[in-house]
Amino acid sequence: MAVTKDQQKPAEAPKDGKPKPKKDAPTDPDAELSEEDLELKKNLELMVQRVADGDAGVQKAALTAICNEIQSSTSAMSAVPKPLKFLVPHVDALKAAFDAMPRAAPTRAALADVLSVLASTVAGKEGERLGLRYKLAGGLENLGQWGHEYLRHISGEVGEEFKVRQEAGEPVTDLMQLVDQIAPYHMSHNAEPEAVDLLLEVERLDMLEALCDDKNYGRTCLYLVSCCSYLPEPDDSAVLKVAHGIYTKMGKHHDALRVALRINDPEIIAATFAGCTDPLEKKQLAYLLARHGHTLDLEDGPAAVADDELRDALREIMSNSKLSEHFLALARDLDVMEPKVPEDVYKSHLIEGRQPQGPAVDSARQNLASTLVNAFVNAGFGTDKLVMPSSEGSGGENVHWIFKNKDHGKTAATASLGLISLWDVEGGLPAIDKYLYSTDQFVVAGALMAIGIVNCCVQNENDPAFALICDYVTNSDPGVRAGAVLGLGLAYAGTRREEVAELLVPLVLDTDVSMEISGFAALALGLVFASSCKEDLVEAILTALMSRGEAELSGPFAKYLVLGLGLLFLGKQETVEATAEIAKTLSERISRYCGVVLESLAYAGSGNVLKVQELLAICGEHGHDEEEDTKKDQGSGAAAAGGAAAPAAAAAAGAAGGAAAAAAAAGGGAAAAAASSSGGGSGEWRGAHQFPAVLGLALIAMGEPLGARMAQRMLEHLLQYGEPTCRRAVPLAIALLSPSDPDPSLLDTLSRLSHDADTEVAQNAVVALGIVGAGTNNARLAGMLRQLSSYYYKEPTLLYLVRTAQGLVHMGKGLMGLSPYHTERQLLSGVALAGLLAVVFSCEDAKATVAGKYPHLFFALAAAMKPRMLLTLDEEGALLPAQVRVGQAVDVVAQAGRPKTITGFQTHTTPVLMNAGERAELATEEYVPLTPLLEGVVVLRKNPDFMDVAE
């Protein structure tokens, strides 16, 4: 390289004439030390020289002095203690002295301890684990004297060493001696998360229960329950069982029951309930079970209650029969009792530009949309201005609203009576009963479904639903049968009633019954027996899938058989494996679809990363048509290599954001997308399994916030590179990740998709907007939907779905939500998720279901609809207004001290409306809540120690 003239110039002398000191000139490190530190440094250097001395007495005195200096030193959290800092340069000298010592030397153990402590401040080679190696050569007792930071370092090395030894099959007794000291030290020094991590790594979680006391159990269990989502099987259920054991030992029955419900084992739930002896606490537990949708036998079995009066009170709470009364108390308090009409939701006067009018408007569709909107907005209020008897003949018209609809519109209008009277069995049934005697079969079908909806999540002691519906299950009219079957499914959702199975199983098995009825019967069984893994039902549905022809299995209603089967294994994880193997033997038209649905539902809410990866691989496949099949026979190897190229390129583009990789993916995927869209008919079913795979991503990841955010990014990639089937499922997957929680970024994505060129993507995006904003009255979302109603004014189907979404956003006048998660998002209600999935899976082929002959399938959401309230009761069960602070929940897991659990709070008097992500706490100490988490119905007990300052 040539040197320029500028580079040859000599360095200029400084202006003041003094030469500048060179930056690299060595400075004396001791110059900055204080006298005290200098003396300490010299002392330690002298001690190190003495350790190398051959005299054992001198060595012992020197090592004792070094140990005392290290143990007595104090420093800031971020700084290395000074004795260790000064000893680091002499580590090699001390190692040499250690190696030169005979094994029997009395001072060898003390020197090993010092070296072990020094190793925690010196970065060693990977896998060397010097700290642990020297510790094992030294004394294994009295670890706590070296301080918390050293123990943290040793804990990490113990975990690594344990793993290596386990793989090699070597003994770990000496490591366990260290664990027996480290874990109690951490537990007694506010480092519970570190103790849990160590015990998890060395597979000794069973030690934890004995180490917990009333000071540390809260932080320990909070950490155990929180890390459950990030652990593989079977560790995830093991940590929950340990947390359950600790809560039970400490007498925290509400916490124990919450964990038992998460474990999802009926025996543990019953035993936990039976373990509580306080009648008032038992009532609080009953409210939790009622919210979760879990029924207990109080007559006999482990949860039996001897006291008749208490048993009746508990049964009343668990049956949810007070739910309507409590919901209306909230509504009265917020002054929203006045019924609303659909126009109050549409707000047509605010829409600028085009209005739906003239011949383009399908009046039957418009009336159907108004029916659904009216039902959702007035849900649970027991009165409205459209279909209830009080409105008959109003305005001089004699035609009742139900009869202003056509065919399936009549069914939906009659069924909407059930949603308006939701949870109020006594008040709702008289209004519905008369329609059972109508000569119009569509009205009868709607009335049967209405009976089911009224009884949804509520058990009445007279059990009217079964008595009224059972005779219609064998009716000759298919519409009436469908209404009866769906009515039974909703009325007994989550109750596991044997009589329902006896009625519906023959419909599933009978090949002479239409596929629609058979599919709805399977769906109803899935709702009633969710998470039960009931063998005879699994067998019946698999038999039905085996005995149906290919044409029937390719239709939209075969998917309900598969969904019903999946719901039986909801959240049951590895229990599904045997059934998933059998599913592989089914007809190729349904086998992959069935396998994906089973896996997705079984791992719903688990956050299982391995399952997410499997589903992503399925989503990344690119479709074949018949030509590709023939090529496959000629050279399957080449086809397989080509099929993997496009998703791989897409993944590269997603991860690296490289323009070249994106272009490669687009090139690879474009041909496949074209083939998929043109090769309809017989080839369509080949990619059908990708639809539930995309939904499965959301189902598995919905359990914890980190996984949900990652799933959202994956879904964005699928929108860019996925097959049309994948793209159609993406909006619904987004809805499952965030029901009743309208996050602005999600709304923007869905708003973009609602204008998509693919009509099915747009339809699903509109439904997803409704689910994401359900019951929130979100003004921004309401504005978006108004604009969409103007945009789609010439498309009846999309306009009808936009209207339905508007109804969902204003559901229950903003007092209800669809989220299947409750109790601060710790528990996933299987019944609520089943109701949500029934609607989401129906949208896979909306033309045949919710936008076709079965608009009343939207009412399956009744299983997921719950008030978003905090209501406080006194010991007698009467409403008790109490001061509460409501604010944004703060994650306090593994945080030091006692951090605040809410931020930005406001003080309200109960009953209070709770939004997603909010948490409440009592503002005064006048009452003691019988549950640590204030949500839903909370029983308050008078605090005997409270003294009013004013008095």
Side-chain angles (χ1 to χ4, degrees), residues 335-391:
D335 195 21
V336 290
M337 291 299 289
E338 182 64 27
K340 284 192 171 186
V341 292
E343 183 49 42
D344 295 338
V345 173
Y346 300 158
K347 296 187 176 149
S348 308
H349 60 283
L350 295 177
I351 302 172
E352 293 175 12
R354 301 171 296 188
Q355 290 275 339
Q357 58 193 1
V361 175
D362 177 348
S363 65
R365 269 287 162 87
Q366 212 176 9
N367 283 2
L368 174 58
S370 295
T371 295
L372 293 176
V373 170
N374 179 65
F376 282 122
V377 170
N378 295 302
F381 283 85
T383 171
D384 78 313
K385 293 181 178 176
L386 217 59
V387 291
M388 279 313 226
S390 59
S391 64

Side-chain angles (χ1 to χ4, degrees), residues 538-600:
V538 173
E539 205 175 302
I541 296 174
L542 284 171
T543 308
L545 286 167
M546 288 172 186
S547 54
R548 294 281 179 169
E550 287 201 348
E552 288 177 309
L553 291 177
S554 303
F557 296 98
K559 310 288 195 304
Y560 288 117
L561 280 170
V562 176
L563 177 58
L565 181 61
L567 289 175
L568 296 175
F569 291 98
L570 190 60
K572 286 306 204 179
Q573 303 203 7
E574 71 275 7
T575 318
V576 81
E577 284 167 11
T579 309
E581 284 300 314
I582 298 170
K584 290 176 185 172
T585 65
L586 299 172
S587 159
E588 62 173 347
R589 287 182 180 261
I590 200 82
S591 62
R592 288 201 74 185
Y593 188 95
C594 187
V596 172
V597 170
L598 284 170
E599 291 276 346
S600 302

Side-chain angles (χ1 to χ4, degrees), residues 227-251:
C227 69
C228 158
S229 305
Y230 303 100
L231 292 171
E233 296 174 88
D235 288 351
D236 52 353
S237 54
V239 292
L240 288 177
K241 283 175 181 164
V242 171
H244 177 265
I246 294 169
Y247 277 137
T248 307
K249 171 187 163 186
M250 303 311 299

Side-chain angles (χ1 to χ4, degrees), residues 356-654:
Q357 58 193 1
V361 175
D362 177 348
S363 65
R365 269 287 162 87
Q366 212 176 9
N367 283 2
L368 174 58
S370 295
T371 295
L372 293 176
V373 170
N374 179 65
F376 282 122
V377 170
N378 295 302
F381 283 85
T383 171
D384 78 313
K385 293 181 178 176
L386 217 59
V387 291
M388 279 313 226
S390 59
S391 64
E392 281 188 58
S394 59
E397 290 181 20
N398 293 324
V399 182
H400 191 276
W401 175 261
I402 289 174
F403 300 102
K404 289 184 186 175
N405 288 276
K406 273 201 257 178
D407 301 350
H408 309 293
K410 290 179 188 168
T411 306
T414 318
S416 73
L417 285 164
L419 203 61
I420 291 163
S421 305
L422 189 62
W423 309 317
D424 182 11
V425 181
E426 308 287 336
L429 283 181
I432 299 163
D433 185 57
K434 61 181 176 185
Y435 295 106
L436 285 173
Y437 310 108
S438 170
T439 51
D440 191 322
Q441 297 299 326
F442 291 108
V443 174
V444 175
L448 291 167
M449 185 138 180
I451 291 167
I453 296 166
V454 165
N455 286 277
C456 190
C457 302
V458 178
Q459 283 86 52
N460 188 284
E461 57 187 348
N462 302 324
D463 199 21
F466 192 82
L468 288 167
I469 298 174
C470 64
D471 295 340
Y472 291 91
V473 170
T474 50
N475 194 289
S476 56
D477 185 86
V480 171
R481 279 179 110 170
V485 166
L486 289 168
L488 273 179
L490 286 170
Y492 294 100
T495 58
R496 305 187 183 182
R497 277 283 292 269
E498 286 298 333
E499 296 95 316
V500 177
E502 287 165 19
L503 263 185
L504 298 184
V505 168
L507 294 182
V508 173
L509 288 169
D510 189 351
T511 48
D512 296 333
V513 171
S514 73
M515 198 66 200
E516 295 164 45
I517 305 299
S518 201
F520 288 148
L523 174 60
L525 287 170
L527 283 165
V528 177
F529 292 91
S531 305
S532 68
C533 308
K534 198 164 161 39
E535 278 181 43
D536 51 341
L537 299 184
V538 173
E539 205 175 302
I541 296 174
L542 284 171
T543 308
L545 286 167
M546 288 172 186
S547 54
R548 294 281 179 169
E550 287 201 348
E552 288 177 309
L553 291 177
S554 303
F557 296 98
K559 310 288 195 304
Y560 288 117
L561 280 170
V562 176
L563 177 58
L565 181 61
L567 289 175
L568 296 175
F569 291 98
L570 190 60
K572 286 306 204 179
Q573 303 203 7
E574 71 275 7
T575 318
V576 81
E577 284 167 11
T579 309
E581 284 300 314
I582 298 170
K584 290 176 185 172
T585 65
L586 299 172
S587 159
E588 62 173 347
R589 287 182 180 261
I590 200 82
S591 62
R592 288 201 74 185
Y593 188 95
C594 187
V596 172
V597 170
L598 284 170
E599 291 276 346
S600 302
L601 269 65
Y603 287 88
S606 67
N608 189 304
V609 180
L610 298 175
K611 294 297 168 191
V612 169
Q613 288 170 344
E614 284 174 27
L615 293 174
L616 273 174
I618 292 169
C619 297
E621 293 169 7
H622 284 286
H624 347 242
D625 56 12
E626 286 144 80
E627 287 177 18
E628 278 187 349
D629 277 18
T630 53
K631 286 179 194 168
K632 199 172 178 183
D633 297 336
Q634 295 162 13
S636 57

